[in-house]
Amino acid sequence: MSSPYKRLKLSLETPVPSDYEISRKQTPKHITEVAKESGIEDSEVEPYGAYKAKVKLDVLDRLADRKNGKYVLVAGITPTPLGEGKSTTTVGLAQALGAVLGKRAFANVRQPSMGPTFGVKGGAAGGGYSQVIPMDEFNMHLTGDIHAVSMANNLLAAALDTRMFHETRQTDDALWKRLCPVQKDGSRDIPRGLEPRTKKLGLDKKDPRDWTEEEISKFVRLDVDPKTVTWKRVLDLNDRSLREITINQAPTEKGLYRKTGFDISVASEVMAILALSNSLEDMRDRLGKIVVASSKAGEPITCEDLGCAGALAAIMKDAIKPNLMQTLEGTPVFVHAGPFANISIGASSIIADKMALKLAGTDSQNPEPGYVITEAGFDFTMGGERFLNIKCRNSGLAPDVIIIVATVRALKVHGDGAPVKANQPLPSEYTSEQLDMLKKGCANLQKHIENARQYGVDVIVAINQMSCDTANEHEVIRQAALEAGAVDAIVSNHWGKGGEGAKNLALGVIRCAHHEYPIQKQNAGEHFHYLYSVDSNSSIKEKIETIAKKMYNADAVEFSPKAQQKLEEYTKQGFTNLPICMAKTQYSLSHDPNWKGVPSGYTFPIRDIKASIGAGYLYALADKIQTIPGLATRCGFMNVEVNKKGEIEGLF
Amino acid sequence: MSSPYKRLKLSLETPVPSDYEISRKQTPKHITEVAKESGIEDSEVEPYGAYKAKVKLDVLDRLADRKNGKYVLVAGITPTPLGEGKSTTTVGLAQALGAVLGKRAFANVRQPSMGPTFGVKGGAAGGGYSQVIPMDEFNMHLTGDIHAVSMANNLLAAALDTRMFHETRQTDDALWKRLCPVQKDGSRDIPRGLEPRTKKLGLDKKDPRDWTEEEISKFVRLDVDPKTVTWKRVLDLNDRSLREITINQAPTEKGLYRKTGFDISVASEVMAILALSNSLEDMRDRLGKIVVASSKAGEPITCEDLGCAGALAAIMKDAIKPNLMQTLEGTPVFVHAGPFANISIGASSIIADKMALKLAGTDSQNPEPGYVITEAGFDFTMGGERFLNIKCRNSGLAPDVIIIVATVRALKVHGDGAPVKANQPLPSEYTSEQLDMLKKGCANLQKHIENARQYGVDVIVAINQMSCDTANEHEVIRQAALEAGAVDAIVSNHWGKGGEGAKNLALGVIRCAHHEYPIQKQNAGEHFHYLYSVDSNSSIKEKIETIAKKMYNADAVEFSPKAQQKLEEYTKQGFTNLPICMAKTQYSLSHDPNWKGVPSGYTFPIRDIKASIGAGYLYALADKIQTIPGLATRCGFMNVEVNKKGEIEGLF
């Protein structure tokens, strides 16, 4: 069959060279060609150099009448620190569907932070023969979206601290005079950005000249309680020295010392908003709703109160357009948004998914649906749960297929194999057949499958093949998967062979998306549904308990006094109707990274609860989560150089 | 004559609408069209959307054999806080030369910081009918160069602080094991980024296995003296709270508290390096030479010692390509680099100038030279002096014509007119003819002309016309200018009329560049030369004294004890052969902003001296210079909004 994409040929080598060598050897197509093949019109493309482009949101309007293509979520089992290959599977599957099988197929992935790029982590572009290329452009600035997030986040921080400063130095009258100066005709010039505040205070229908002193005071004085400030500054680097800092120490700041800190940019609520917005207007509204602190009276202070939501939207107006790149085999990839998996949803953007689903969608000219493959960070039970209960709730979309990526290695860990660590030789059980250990470990896979099945979506297990695996081991996994209700379990070697290596997996996905597995007939009555409701009378506490019990297999949840207090505060402030983003370790189904397999009979602890009101969720922390990583003694950056041709060397 | 550029027509209105309205009304050409008209080949252009592009440095190689076009420097008299229109003159003159007179003509301007964009300052894209368009793109992220500067700057800061942390926590042996782990074959893996350090210590010719304990210690332990750290972090915002901060206060940082602060990104030495580099390799070398601190033994610690110069270059590899935009009349503009005028050179990049001079250059097919108009921040005596003694010394270029922009308004201030302030009504002397006051103030203009003439370059005075000016007043300025040695003084109204308004000025520039003014025959023996030498035996002190006496009209220079100590330290460290960047107020020829006209009989004070070794200069501070501005009670951002079409509103 004719493929929509000119396939870029792979010249496979054994052993598989480094990711960067593979990327460098391939000559990508010009991005305008990829766009055209993807059904994007010239006027909708904004190239950023030869291999990256932003795509205008106009596509969504133009294709509004199409029925969406098939939506495939790639999730995983509880991983080891080596990673089990979700990104690689996402990209490899798109190569198989698009370049090998000739279907319309999009891989939708997150933009990686540059912090870890210069730390110790590998690239986030997939790996081996399943990659997004050029991988250096993917891992560096891309088109500047994360920089825009940093700027927007930090403008809000500067606006808040400056306002607090000016309020301590000025009377109500002086603030009023400066914020809203008297015009020649005697009227007051209220800046556009503060109009929402006039509305919030019910002053918008009254001429400012008629405002009472009390009304003026209420308008000009936010009266922020410095102890309640939750908004931090960000940068996109692993800078541990900024975790906790004291600001305002210059003499010009008159002794208003305040403890605060920096997060990594991808942990910013602005990044979560970018991922969860459905349109530019939606993003603008969410930016306005960000809560940065409370007033001394306990009222939430928002970005809108500071009058800078419009400016934040202006900074982000290009960032909201999805970025187009391509796989190693020349199929399209959307790279858009990258909220930090540790405290946020760890998934790429809703807008990119919607755009890809329309481009892969059906109408009278395109009767056969294409595929959009996207990934949820961490394991299914954390990342997949957030994807379904938060991202899908915000988008209104639902996946047609859930893929759970498993490796023999990780399942042996869950069967009591010795711990595995990065940059250290693997213990012998990982290089020899160990069927009993593996069988035991498969309980972890089964729990993830069962968890996914709770949402009414069909599951395929992708066994990500590694060189030491045996056929018997694959069969053990396959049987366990089918037993737990997966429609299929398919071995895939996209890392070593690109799309060709994932062809069987792709055929399984097509079959599943078209409900052609016999078991799917039995499930025919099932429909996608969320795990918990946000509209009902269910409290924040009940939602958290539902997730902990149904997903993590906990018996009960224990809330710390701090968490209790937050429960009360958010309930009082009216933030109960929001989904919950759980922040816990990714290395166990429970909160304890050492508990492998399927922990049971335990109490899940909630240490603290925080709010991302603009993004639209509360997040509950089961542990102290580091929101800005550090650098090691030997860092990734020490290997990086630019050669005379201007090419980057030594990146991964 | 046929023009190289398709001219975009202006529909002039009176009164002149806001800058943003004018920009919004004009439909720019696609940037690939501007590139083609400018003589840039398709393969050399990397579009960033429709109206911005990066231009590859390949242009420099392709056109290496061309003789450069004419190089025109736009400088100014001592300004008022309202600004006297240098940027507007730069852009307007390019419109006159290119769109009106059909010459090849490039305006080369700085990229503005986003900090002031959201503060109170106007845009930096020119103004009225002489602008770079689209002005919102110009004033916002552009192609991300400043973001790259921030990232590079801050990676170096994180690398330094992390190294200091690890050195306090680890023995030499542990550092050695981690930095350069033992390989399977027993050899040591020295990261590429640390090879320069092996060279610096004379260890590069010896197998690391044979290094002595002392050599290993020297290699792995930078032994930074925390009190000597000069490297600060940056962000591109007016965030006064970060002026002075204490870092390392998280428990993970083990009490290594340290006072430091943030500068605005454009004040970063990395930005100065971007402006002063002649090639990618040159930039890479300069990044390596950045001195961030001293060791406890008093040795300078460089970026190269930290092993991250290659990574900084990788972050900056695209930033070094000049950005192409266009004027309101469709002529080409290079926007590239924007080092902070307060402490750095305040001029756009050498690379962009070299590229434009080749594109405007002559060969057998192009016998007539084109023009490159560029600007030096602040007045001639500060900005122009830095341009000639630092930027030109680094590039090897010399201007053919110096334009000094003067206004009736500012010269009246120098003639003892009342002070003028932004956003306040002008005193009456500025709206009526005041010939005596003006005559007196012209001394300031004359000193700037004489200063410029000290370099052996011909000067034209551009009288930037304003609505209240009278013909008599223009004539007073003209006579004063000629008397002081200017070859001409020409009234220009580019703000109100675009290129057509600057036509006479353009004709004067052409005439001057071709040595056609009679007075130029008399000056024929003159050639461009620097004010002081850096190669000779002249000390740092002597260079500073030369600038203060010959340029600022001071009688003597007084060095504070701190400055004295720095003189000794830098002399000891071997940093004497560098030009000096003087940091002082722009509102007076002297160090005191209140001294108007031509101050004399005074001693010029030097408070402190600092080093930008990578950029290649020392900077001497005559005052406490604020390196990160603050936000006012009412800020620019309060007016900004994004409309439903995704357009920014309320920006200026």
Side-chain angles (χ1 to χ4, degrees):
Chain A
M1 70 171 301
S2 83
S3 167
Y5 314 112
K6 195 188 111 197
R7 183 173 177 183
L8 299 178
K9 285 222 178 92
L10 302 178
S11 39
L12 301 176
E13 290 177 51
T14 324
V16 175
S18 80
D19 292 352
Y20 193 56
E21 280 172 76
I22 293 175
S23 170
R24 178 78 65 82
K25 264 184 204 156
Q26 191 70 293
T27 305
K29 294 182 274 195
H30 197 284
I31 198 62
T32 51
E33 193 182 339
V34 179
K36 196 185 287 283
E37 291 173 346
S38 305
I40 302 165
E41 298 189 347
D42 281 354
S43 63
E44 293 162 343
V45 185
E46 296 177 348
Y48 277 59
Y51 305 128
K52 300 173 291 190
K54 284 209 161 278
V55 182
K56 293 186 191 168
L57 304 191
D58 302 357
V59 173
L60 293 170
D61 293 330
R62 178 170 59 83
L63 302 179
D65 292 338
R66 275 199 190 166
K67 199 166 164 278
N68 284 341
K70 299 295 183 183
Y71 197 27
V72 180
L73 171 65
V74 176
I77 59 167
T78 306
T80 71
L82 310 184
E84 309 319 311
K86 281 196 313 289
S87 301
T88 310
T89 303
T90 302
V91 177
L93 179 56
Q95 290 177 200
L97 286 162
V100 179
L101 299 176
K103 309 291 180 192
R104 286 176 294 159
F106 295 81
N108 278 18
V109 301
R110 284 171 287 171
Q111 179 185 0
S113 164
M114 276 171 74
T117 297
F118 291 111
V120 289
K121 196 178 146 282
Y129 289 102
S130 294
Q131 285 192 50
V132 185
I133 56 170
M135 72 95 89
D136 49 348
E137 307 240 3
F138 177 86
N139 282 296
M140 299 282 287
H141 309 282
L142 195 65
T143 59
D145 295 347
I146 295 182
H147 299 319
V149 166
S150 305
M151 290 294 292
N153 183 100
N154 293 343
L155 175 60
L156 179 52
L160 174 62
D161 272 305
T162 308
R163 182 62 172 266
M164 287 163 70
F165 172 82
H166 288 307
E167 286 191 21
T168 64
R169 313 284 303 164
Q170 293 176 44
T171 61
D172 288 355
D173 204 47
L175 288 169
W176 181 229
K177 198 180 93 186
R178 289 203 175 87
L179 275 176
C180 308
V182 178
Q183 302 299 287
K184 278 181 192 157
D185 64 357
S187 69
R188 288 277 176 173
D189 173 31
I190 296 187
R192 182 172 178 177
L194 290 180
E195 282 169 17
R197 184 161 170 83
T198 65
K199 228 174 256 178
K200 177 175 166 176
L201 299 177
L203 295 167
D204 57 320
K205 288 184 192 75
K206 208 169 149 186
D207 186 321
R209 282 171 282 197
D210 301 331
W211 292 7
T212 65
E213 245 177 63
E214 203 190 324
E215 284 169 336
I216 289 172
S217 175
K218 232 179 148 88
F219 179 75
V220 300
R221 196 166 287 282
L222 301 181
D223 207 26
V224 172
D225 179 351
K227 291 189 309 295
T228 64
V229 175
T230 50
W231 196 252
K232 292 161 79 182
R233 290 167 178 80
V234 299
L235 44 66
D236 194 32
L237 283 166
N238 288 8
D239 192 348
R240 53 187 297 159
S241 296
L242 298 179
R243 282 172 183 163
E244 285 181 34
I245 64 172
T246 301
I247 60 169
N248 281 330
Q249 296 191 307
T252 52
E253 308 316 302
K254 313 295 179 193
L256 294 180
Y257 301 171
R258 192 169 77 73
K259 270 222 173 182
T260 179
F262 277 69
D263 288 339
I264 195 156
S265 298
V266 291
S268 168
E269 183 173 347
V270 177
M271 177 57 94
I273 288 174
L274 179 63
L276 289 170
S277 293
N278 284 279
S279 66
L280 178 63
E281 279 177 88
D282 184 19
M283 180 176 74
R284 164 66 185 78
D285 287 344
R286 288 170 186 259
L287 290 168
K289 284 183 192 151
I290 292 173
V291 173
V292 294
S294 295
S295 71
K296 286 176 187 142
E299 297 285 324
I301 302 292
T302 65
C303 175
E304 211 79 86
D305 289 322
L306 286 157
C308 65
L312 264 64
I315 293 174
M316 295 287 294
K317 83 174 177 57
D318 291 316
I320 201 171
K321 302 172 196 163
N323 305 293
L324 186 67
M325 291 189 72
Q326 64 193 289
T327 65
L328 205 62
E329 297 187 64
T331 63
V333 179
F334 279 115
V335 187
H336 199 218
F340 200 45
N342 298 57
I343 57 159
S344 181
I345 62 160
S348 58
S349 84
I350 285 177
I351 288 219
D353 286 359
K354 288 194 162 174
M355 187 177 279
L357 285 166
K358 288 300 175 196
L359 291 166
T362 52
D363 55 18
S364 54
Q365 269 99 58
N366 302 276
E368 199 199 330
Y371 298 82
V372 178
I373 327 293
T374 192
E375 182 192 339
F378 293 173
D379 61 1
F380 171 80
T381 295
M382 191 160 33
E385 183 271 311
R386 293 159 167 180
F387 183 93
L388 299 171
N389 286 309
I390 302 177
K391 185 174 168 185
C392 288
R393 203 186 300 258
N394 273 276
S395 67
L397 300 168
D400 296 283
V401 181
I402 293 174
I403 293 176
I404 294 182
V405 178
T407 59
V408 171
R409 181 177 67 201
L411 290 174
K412 283 177 178 171
V413 170
H414 291 295
D416 297 333
V420 299
K421 284 180 191 158
N423 301 322
Q424 291 192 8
L426 284 173
S428 62
E429 58 262 47
Y430 298 100
T431 52
S432 58
E433 189 174 277
Q434 302 284 344
L435 300 182
D436 289 343
M437 183 180 276
L438 184 61
K439 261 178 211 160
K440 186 168 179 207
C442 278
N444 182 273
L445 169 64
Q446 291 184 313
K447 175 61 178 156
H448 286 289
I449 296 169
E450 287 159 15
N451 280 353
R453 297 284 301 125
Q454 292 191 50
Y455 297 83
V457 185
D458 290 318
V459 174
I460 290 184
V461 171
I463 303 169
N464 187 12
Q465 187 179 343
M466 296 187 178
S467 55
C468 303
D469 296 358
T470 68
N472 288 334
E473 288 178 330
H474 289 162
E475 190 52 30
V476 165
I477 297 176
R478 189 178 147 72
Q479 286 308 325
L482 295 177
E483 196 182 280
V487 302
D488 205 346
I490 303 167
V491 178
S492 189
N493 184 15
H494 38 272
W495 185 78
K497 301 200 164 157
E500 199 61 45
K503 187 176 168 184
N504 287 336
L505 178 62
L507 291 169
V509 166
I510 295 172
R511 208 172 148 200
C512 183
H514 288 83
H515 301 276
E516 289 167 0
Y517 279 100
I519 189 179
Q520 293 181 284
K521 305 258 151 68
Q522 298 168 26
N523 303 340
E526 287 185 7
H527 292 290
F528 173 72
H529 52 86
Y530 307 121
L531 187 70
Y532 55 85
S533 154
V534 292
D535 306 323
S536 76
N537 299 328
S538 99
S539 67
I540 302 170
K541 205 168 169 177
E542 283 162 346
K543 286 176 207 132
I544 293 173
E545 283 169 346
T546 301
I547 297 171
K549 291 178 184 171
K550 292 202 181 167
M551 292 281 115
Y552 307 161
N553 211 37
D555 280 353
V557 179
E558 187 176 48
F559 294 84
S560 74
K562 191 169 188 185
Q564 287 278 7
Q565 178 222 313
K566 293 294 192 72
L567 279 178
E568 285 161 33
E569 184 184 330
Y570 294 137
T571 304
K572 203 176 93 191
Q573 292 183 337
F575 299 140
T576 48
N577 290 345
L578 296 170
I580 311 292
C581 185
M582 298 290 269
K584 68 166 196 72
T585 179
Q586 60 180 309
Y587 295 122
S588 169
L589 280 163
S590 75
H591 59 285
D592 186 329
N594 299 310
W595 296 353
K596 302 300 174 191
V598 186
S600 63
Y602 71 98
T603 296
F604 188 85
I606 298 292
R607 232 177 125 262
D608 196 0
I609 304 174
K610 299 187 178 185
S612 289
I613 302 302
Y617 55 78
L618 301 178
Y619 57 108
L621 295 96
D623 200 356
K624 177 146 180 58
I625 306 283
Q626 201 58 270
T627 48
I628 183 163
L631 290 169
T633 305
R634 173 154 173 168
C635 294
F637 68 70
M638 290 182 183
N639 299 314
V640 177
E641 193 49 90
V642 176
N643 66 23
K644 291 188 182 177
K645 285 187 277 181
E647 297 164 341
I648 298 176
E649 295 182 349
L651 200 63
F652 317 120
Chain B
M1 70 169 301
S2 83
S3 167
Y5 314 111
K6 194 189 113 197
R7 183 172 178 185
L8 298 178
K9 284 221 180 93
L10 301 178
S11 38
L12 301 176
E13 291 177 50
T14 322
V16 175
S18 79
D19 293 353
Y20 193 58
E21 279 172 78
I22 293 175
S23 169
R24 178 78 66 82
K25 264 186 203 155
Q26 190 68 293
T27 305
K29 294 182 273 194
H30 198 284
I31 198 64
T32 51
E33 192 182 340
V34 179
K36 195 184 286 285
E37 291 174 347
S38 304
I40 302 166
E41 298 188 348
D42 281 352
S43 63
E44 293 162 344
V45 184
E46 296 177 346
Y48 277 58
Y51 305 128
K52 300 173 291 191
K54 284 210 161 277
V55 181
K56 293 186 190 169
L57 304 190
D58 302 356
V59 172
L60 293 170
D61 293 331
R62 177 169 61 83
L63 302 179
D65 292 338
R66 277 199 189 165
K67 196 164 165 283
N68 284 342
K70 299 295 184 184
Y71 197 28
V72 180
L73 171 64
V74 176
I77 59 166
T78 306
T80 70
L82 310 186
E84 309 318 312
K86 283 196 311 291
S87 300
T88 310
T89 303
T90 302
V91 177
L93 180 56
Q95 289 177 200
L97 285 162
V100 180
L101 299 175
K103 310 291 179 192
R104 286 176 294 158
F106 295 81
N108 278 18
V109 301
R110 285 170 286 169
Q111 180 186 359
S113 164
M114 276 170 75
T117 297
F118 291 111
V120 289
K121 198 177 146 281
Y129 289 101
S130 294
Q131 285 191 50
V132 184
I133 55 168
M135 72 94 89
D136 48 349
E137 308 241 0
F138 177 87
N139 282 297
M140 299 282 286
H141 308 283
L142 196 65
T143 59
D145 295 348
I146 296 182
H147 299 320
V149 166
S150 305
M151 289 294 292
N153 182 99
N154 293 343
L155 176 60
L156 179 53
L160 174 63
D161 271 305
T162 308
R163 182 63 170 265
M164 288 164 69
F165 172 81
H166 287 309
E167 286 192 20
T168 64
R169 312 286 302 165
Q170 294 176 43
T171 61
D172 288 356
D173 204 47
L175 288 168
W176 180 228
K177 198 181 95 185
R178 291 203 173 88
L179 275 175
C180 308
V182 178
Q183 302 298 286
K184 278 181 192 158
D185 65 358
S187 69
R188 287 275 177 176
D189 173 31
I190 295 187
R192 182 171 178 178
L194 290 179
E195 283 168 15
R197 185 161 170 83
T198 65
K199 230 174 256 179
K200 175 174 168 177
L201 299 177
L203 295 167
D204 57 322
K205 286 184 193 75
K206 211 170 148 186
D207 186 323
R209 280 170 286 198
D210 301 332
W211 292 6
T212 64
E213 245 176 62
E214 204 190 324
E215 285 169 335
I216 289 172
S217 175
K218 235 183 144 86
F219 179 76
V220 300
R221 196 168 287 283
L222 301 180
D223 208 25
V224 172
D225 179 353
K227 292 190 307 294
T228 64
V229 174
T230 50
W231 196 251
K232 291 162 80 182
R233 290 167 177 80
V234 299
L235 44 66
D236 194 32
L237 283 167
N238 288 7
D239 192 349
R240 53 187 298 160
S241 295
L242 298 179
R243 283 173 181 163
E244 285 181 34
I245 63 171
T246 301
I247 59 168
N248 281 330
Q249 295 191 306
T252 53
E253 309 315 302
K254 312 295 178 192
L256 295 179
Y257 300 172
R258 191 168 78 70
K259 269 222 173 182
T260 180
F262 276 69
D263 288 339
I264 196 157
S265 298
V266 291
S268 168
E269 184 174 346
V270 176
M271 178 55 94
I273 289 174
L274 178 64
L276 289 170
S277 294
N278 284 280
S279 66
L280 178 62
E281 279 177 271
D282 185 19
M283 180 176 74
R284 164 65 185 79
D285 287 346
R286 288 169 186 259
L287 290 169
K289 284 182 192 150
I290 292 171
V291 173
V292 294
S294 296
S295 71
K296 286 176 188 144
E299 299 284 325
I301 302 292
T302 66
C303 175
E304 211 78 88
D305 289 322
L306 286 158
C308 64
L312 263 63
I315 292 173
M316 295 287 294
K317 83 174 176 59
D318 292 314
I320 201 171
K321 302 172 196 164
N323 305 294
L324 186 68
M325 291 189 72
Q326 65 194 289
T327 65
L328 205 61
E329 296 187 66
T331 64
V333 179
F334 280 115
V335 188
H336 200 217
F340 200 46
N342 297 58
I343 57 160
S344 181
I345 62 161
S348 58
S349 85
I350 285 178
I351 289 220
D353 286 359
K354 288 195 161 173
M355 187 176 280
L357 285 166
K358 288 300 174 196
L359 290 166
T362 53
D363 56 17
S364 54
Q365 269 99 58
N366 302 278
E368 198 199 332
Y371 297 82
V372 178
I373 328 294
T374 192
E375 181 193 340
F378 293 172
D379 62 1
F380 171 81
T381 294
M382 190 158 37
E385 182 272 309
R386 293 160 168 180
F387 183 94
L388 299 171
N389 286 309
I390 304 178
K391 185 174 168 183
C392 287
R393 204 187 298 259
N394 274 276
S395 68
L397 300 168
D400 296 283
V401 182
I402 293 174
I403 293 176
I404 293 183
V405 179
T407 58
V408 171
R409 181 177 65 199
L411 290 174
K412 284 179 178 170
V413 170
H414 292 295
D416 298 332
V420 298
K421 285 181 189 157
N423 301 323
Q424 291 191 9
L426 284 173
S428 62
E429 57 262 48
Y430 299 100
T431 50
S432 58
E433 189 174 275
Q434 302 285 343
L435 299 182
D436 290 341
M437 183 181 277
L438 184 61
K439 262 179 209 161
K440 182 166 183 211
C442 278
N444 182 273
L445 169 63
Q446 291 184 311
K447 175 62 178 155
H448 286 290
I449 296 169
E450 286 158 16
N451 280 354
R453 296 284 300 126
Q454 292 190 50
Y455 296 84
V457 185
D458 291 318
V459 173
I460 290 184
V461 171
I463 303 169
N464 188 14
Q465 187 179 343
M466 297 188 177
S467 54
C468 302
D469 298 357
T470 69
N472 288 334
E473 288 177 329
H474 289 163
E475 190 53 29
V476 165
I477 297 176
R478 188 178 147 76
Q479 287 307 326
L482 296 177
E483 195 182 283
V487 301
D488 204 348
I490 303 167
V491 178
S492 190
N493 184 14
H494 37 274
W495 184 78
K497 298 198 166 160
E500 199 61 44
K503 187 175 169 185
N504 287 336
L505 179 62
L507 290 169
V509 166
I510 296 172
R511 209 173 149 199
C512 183
H514 288 83
H515 302 275
E516 290 167 0
Y517 279 98
I519 190 178
Q520 292 182 285
K521 305 257 150 66
Q522 298 167 26
N523 303 341
E526 286 186 8
H527 292 289
F528 173 71
H529 53 85
Y530 306 121
L531 188 71
Y532 55 86
S533 155
V534 292
D535 304 324
S536 77
N537 300 328
S538 100
S539 66
I540 301 170
K541 205 169 168 176
E542 283 163 347
K543 287 176 206 131
I544 293 173
E545 282 169 346
T546 301
I547 297 171
K549 290 178 184 169
K550 294 202 181 166
M551 294 280 115
Y552 307 162
N553 212 35
D555 281 352
V557 179
E558 186 176 49
F559 294 84
S560 74
K562 191 171 188 183
Q564 287 278 8
Q565 178 223 313
K566 293 293 193 72
L567 281 177
E568 285 161 33
E569 184 183 328
Y570 293 136
T571 305
K572 204 176 93 193
Q573 293 183 337
F575 300 141
T576 48
N577 291 346
L578 296 171
I580 310 291
C581 185
M582 299 289 270
K584 68 165 194 73
T585 178
Q586 60 179 309
Y587 295 122
S588 170
L589 279 164
S590 74
H591 59 285
D592 186 330
N594 299 311
W595 295 354
K596 301 299 174 193
V598 185
S600 63
Y602 71 98
T603 296
F604 188 84
I606 299 289
R607 233 176 125 262
D608 196 0
I609 304 175
K610 299 187 179 186
S612 290
I613 302 303
Y617 56 77
L618 301 179
Y619 57 107
L621 294 97
D623 200 356
K624 178 146 180 59
I625 307 281
Q626 201 57 268
T627 47
I628 183 162
L631 292 169
T633 305
R634 172 152 174 169
C635 292
F637 68 70
M638 290 182 183
N639 299 314
V640 178
E641 193 49 87
V642 177
N643 66 23
K644 292 192 180 173
K645 285 186 276 181
E647 297 165 341
I648 297 176
E649 295 183 348
L651 201 62
F652 318 120

